[in-house]
Amino acid sequence: MSTTSHPPLPKSIIIVGSGVFGLSTALSLSKRASFSPSEITLIDRSPFPSPDGSSIDTSRIIRADYADPAYASLAAAGQEIWRQQEANQLGGEGRYSESGLVLVSNKGSDNEIYVQKSFHNVLDINKGTENEGSVKELPSRREIEETVGTRGGSGDWGYSNTRSGWADAEAGMLFLRRQVEALKRVEFLTAEVASLVFSGSNTTGVRFKNNSTISADLVILATGAWTPTLIDLRGRAQASGQVLSYLPISDAEQERLGKMPVLLNMSSGMFIIPPKNNLLKVARHNYGYSNPISIPNPEGEGQIKVSVPRTALSDPNLWIPHEGEAACRQALREMIPSLGDRPFTKTKICWYTDTPTGDFIITYHPSYSNLFLATGGSGHGYKFLPVIGDKIVDCIEGRTPEEFKEKWAWRKEAVQNVLTADGSRGGRPGMLLEEELKKGSKL
Ligand SMILES: Cc1cc2nc3c(=O)[nH]c(=O)nc-3n(C[C@H](O)[C@H](O)[C@H](O)COP(=O)(O)OP(=O)(O)OC[C@H]3O[C@@H](n4cnc5c(N)ncnc54)[C@H](O)[C@@H]3O)c2cc1C
């Protein structure tokens, strides 16, 4: 493996992928004086906002409630920005709501430890501040149900944190895009990148599906769950599909449930975020499905097998597998019993870019010069929208924050199976999307 380095100042930069990682990087590069002479091109295969990108949805949880203190502290810094509620700020116009979070686990499950560590981390964050009382232990199901206020609940131990909440994910991304556009530094291209262009071990640009190419001094890959189709990430990152189900609710239900906290059970992975615009979402955060198919080796000859996202974009009639819908149904019955039997009118599979530890991959590629990776969101990257771009650009400049040096680095050893072991995942590992779909979908 050759040692790689970045050019002192790339005259031209291509960012592939306009999700949280790519777009926030574009904003930070545009603002940073050291990159003012650089031409920046941002490429996405879909017109913005990408309909099947992970960063685009009705809602995402915004929490500093992490078992890992480094992510807890970075998330807390991001939340300070989410909390700015003026219309011209990220958190304004309903883009962020501090509804509170009830984080729970089932007694005896492996994920109890995550919730306990997270509890202590958020207690520490608030210690000695005016927010000291915002985190409260919920030692039984009765207390959990009283706090959730829907006559339902989940789990049997947990805590509530009134300083966590949720974001309107698509609205947050639209706001970010407007910020980038306003600086007039970035050229936006809508085109699918088919492959990277290498000259020996040097990355010189990207090739599009129509075989045309563009070159740049630095290529930043921020293609989320599709990244393993453009560079070999076997054993380091893998696309995992997660289920989401949506149901319409009345004005009266919106009024009532709009005030509930986010409820997340780390043992089952099931969660509900307060509804918006009369639409409620039930979703699952667990090991998910993989969708392994053979693709041309992005770095050379032959074929390799990787999990590739399958979404409604290529498969408009895609409905989640029976087992996933059954899990959403059960969670709805448990968490909001009054809506327990209301049919789901829409479902979706959204793709995580999972890494073995749940850490992001924000680093130069170890074998190809001028290639930088900004990916590996592992199902928790959205909340960092206000801060991750600056961190990515710090890493590009060789100033990776000390606490993330090891976490965000290229893993030296590839693992056999990527199953995120950050303590936040539950469920059945190793589910294959194709197999589960064959068992049936639509209850
Ligand atoms: C169901 C679900 C729930 C989640 N919940 C939360 C949560 O509650 N809180 C939280 O903080 N995070 C959450 N996350 C995680 C978070 O949404 C992701 O970590 C984050 O959005 C990832 O951003 P990204 O930029 O890496 O990927 P994406 O947003 O997917 O962006 C990648 C972009 O690359 C483009 N692209 C791909 N291939 C190509 C190509 N070949 N050529 C050109 N363009 C290409 C795509 O069109 C896409 O726009 C959740 C994720 C999912 C799926």
Side-chain angles (χ1 to χ4, degrees):
M1 237 176 229
S2 65
T3 325
T4 55
S5 62
H6 57 96
L9 177 69
K11 286 202 198 77
S12 51
I13 302 172
I14 289 173
I15 303 168
V16 193
S18 187
V20 162
F21 282 70
L23 196 55
S24 63
T25 303
L27 181 64
S28 299
L29 285 172
S30 303
K31 283 181 170 170
R32 209 165 282 200
S34 46
F35 288 91
S36 58
S38 306
E39 282 173 19
I40 307 165
T41 306
L42 178 55
I43 304 169
D44 202 287
R45 69 200 223 293
S46 295
F48 191 82
S50 166
D52 60 352
S54 308
S55 308
I56 307 297
D57 193 11
T58 50
S59 50
R60 289 283 179 264
I61 304 171
I62 307 296
R63 58 174 168 106
D65 307 76
Y66 271 86
D68 181 310
Y71 287 101
S73 144
L74 184 60
Q79 255 186 310
E80 290 303 321
I81 302 170
W82 280 111
R83 285 196 186 103
Q84 294 168 9
Q85 297 280 301
E86 297 79 21
N88 64 348
Q89 300 292 336
L90 177 62
E93 298 174 320
R95 287 180 285 269
Y96 174 66
S97 307
E98 200 144 278
S99 59
L101 164 71
V102 171
L103 187 64
V104 300
S105 60
N106 301 338
K107 273 227 164 77
S109 87
D110 295 346
N111 311 78
E112 241 185 312
I113 297 161
Y114 186 102
V115 181
Q116 280 163 2
K117 283 188 177 169
S118 170
F119 176 55
H120 291 293
N121 280 336
V122 284
L123 279 176
D124 280 353
I125 286 173
N126 293 314
K127 207 171 184 175
T129 74
E130 55 183 3
N131 307 310
E132 192 140 9
S134 55
V135 178
K136 190 174 151 233
E137 187 179 356
L138 303 172
S140 72
R141 177 63 169 258
R142 188 177 56 79
E143 272 128 318
I144 292 168
E145 291 194 3
E146 276 170 13
T147 308
V148 174
T150 58
R151 301 187 178 201
S154 191
D156 35 36
W157 184 86
Y159 69 91
S160 71
N161 181 357
T162 56
R163 287 184 50 86
S164 291
W166 61 279
D168 177 330
E170 179 167 342
M173 289 298 290
L174 288 166
F175 182 86
L176 179 60
R177 167 87 177 206
R178 287 196 295 276
Q179 281 186 303
V180 178
E181 283 172 355
L183 294 173
K184 297 190 185 336
R185 291 273 289 107
V186 174
E187 187 189 345
F188 298 95
L189 278 184
T190 303
E192 181 165 346
V193 169
S195 63
L196 299 173
V197 181
F198 300 114
S199 167
S201 64
N202 190 25
T203 315
T204 58
V206 298
R207 174 170 285 108
F208 296 108
K209 274 206 134 174
N210 66 6
N211 219 24
S212 64
T213 58
I214 54 171
S215 49
D217 294 337
L218 176 65
V219 176
I220 302 170
L221 262 192
T223 36
W226 293 266
T227 313
T229 65
L230 293 171
I231 196 78
D232 189 353
L233 290 176
R234 283 174 298 170
R236 295 188 168 87
Q238 173 170 303
S240 83
Q242 307 286 334
V243 294
L244 303 117
S245 303
Y246 304 81
L247 64 152
I249 57 171
S250 67
D251 288 347
E253 287 161 343
Q254 172 64 51
E255 173 64 20
R256 185 164 51 84
L257 297 170
K259 297 184 187 110
M260 73 178 279
V262 174
L263 173 57
L264 167 58
N265 182 325
M266 276 299 183
S267 303
S268 63
M270 302 310 302
F271 64 94
I272 288 185
I273 296 176
K276 188 172 177 182
N277 299 332
N278 299 43
L279 194 65
L280 181 79
K281 177 173 96 178
V282 185
R284 184 172 68 184
H285 167 81
N286 75 356
Y287 292 118
Y289 310 115
S290 67
N291 184 40
I293 58 170
S294 284
I295 60 159
N297 183 347
E299 293 179 34
E301 303 295 306
Q303 301 269 313
I304 60 169
K305 208 168 207 186
V306 297
S307 175
V308 175
R310 179 170 163 187
T311 72
L313 205 60
S314 56
D315 194 351
N317 296 320
L318 185 63
W319 191 270
I320 59 174
H322 189 297
E323 78 72 39
E325 189 177 350
C328 291
R329 172 64 54 206
Q330 195 187 335
L332 184 59
R333 287 190 177 131
E334 189 187 30
M335 295 177 173
I336 312 181
S338 61
L339 297 179
D341 292 321
R342 184 156 319 162
F344 297 123
T345 48
K346 186 183 147 192
T347 66
K348 189 161 110 171
I349 300 177
C350 182
W351 293 84
Y352 288 179
T353 320
D354 275 337
T355 64
T357 52
D359 289 308
F360 305 152
I361 302 174
I362 302 179
T363 185
Y364 284 94
H365 193 282
S367 307
Y368 300 105
S369 56
N370 308 325
L371 176 59
F372 192 87
L373 304 171
T375 187
S378 300
H380 66 99
Y382 185 87
K383 65 185 66 64
F384 299 101
L385 180 152
V387 288
I388 198 67
D390 279 346
K391 297 296 169 206
I392 292 170
V393 177
D394 286 347
C395 297
I396 291 172
E397 291 186 323
R399 294 187 289 112
T400 304
E402 204 49 48
E403 65 279 24
F404 289 112
K405 269 192 173 144
E406 218 173 287
K407 295 179 194 296
W408 293 351
W410 179 266
R411 275 181 80 87
K412 287 196 181 70
E413 304 293 330
V415 299
Q416 194 68 27
N417 280 317
V418 176
L419 283 177
T420 301
D422 64 353
S424 79
R425 303 298 175 92
R428 183 150 55 96
M431 279 193 289
L432 298 172
L433 178 60
E434 197 56 46
E435 245 174 41
E436 294 305 322
L437 284 172
K438 276 192 194 134
K439 290 180 195 163
S441 63
K442 262 210 158 155
L443 289 175

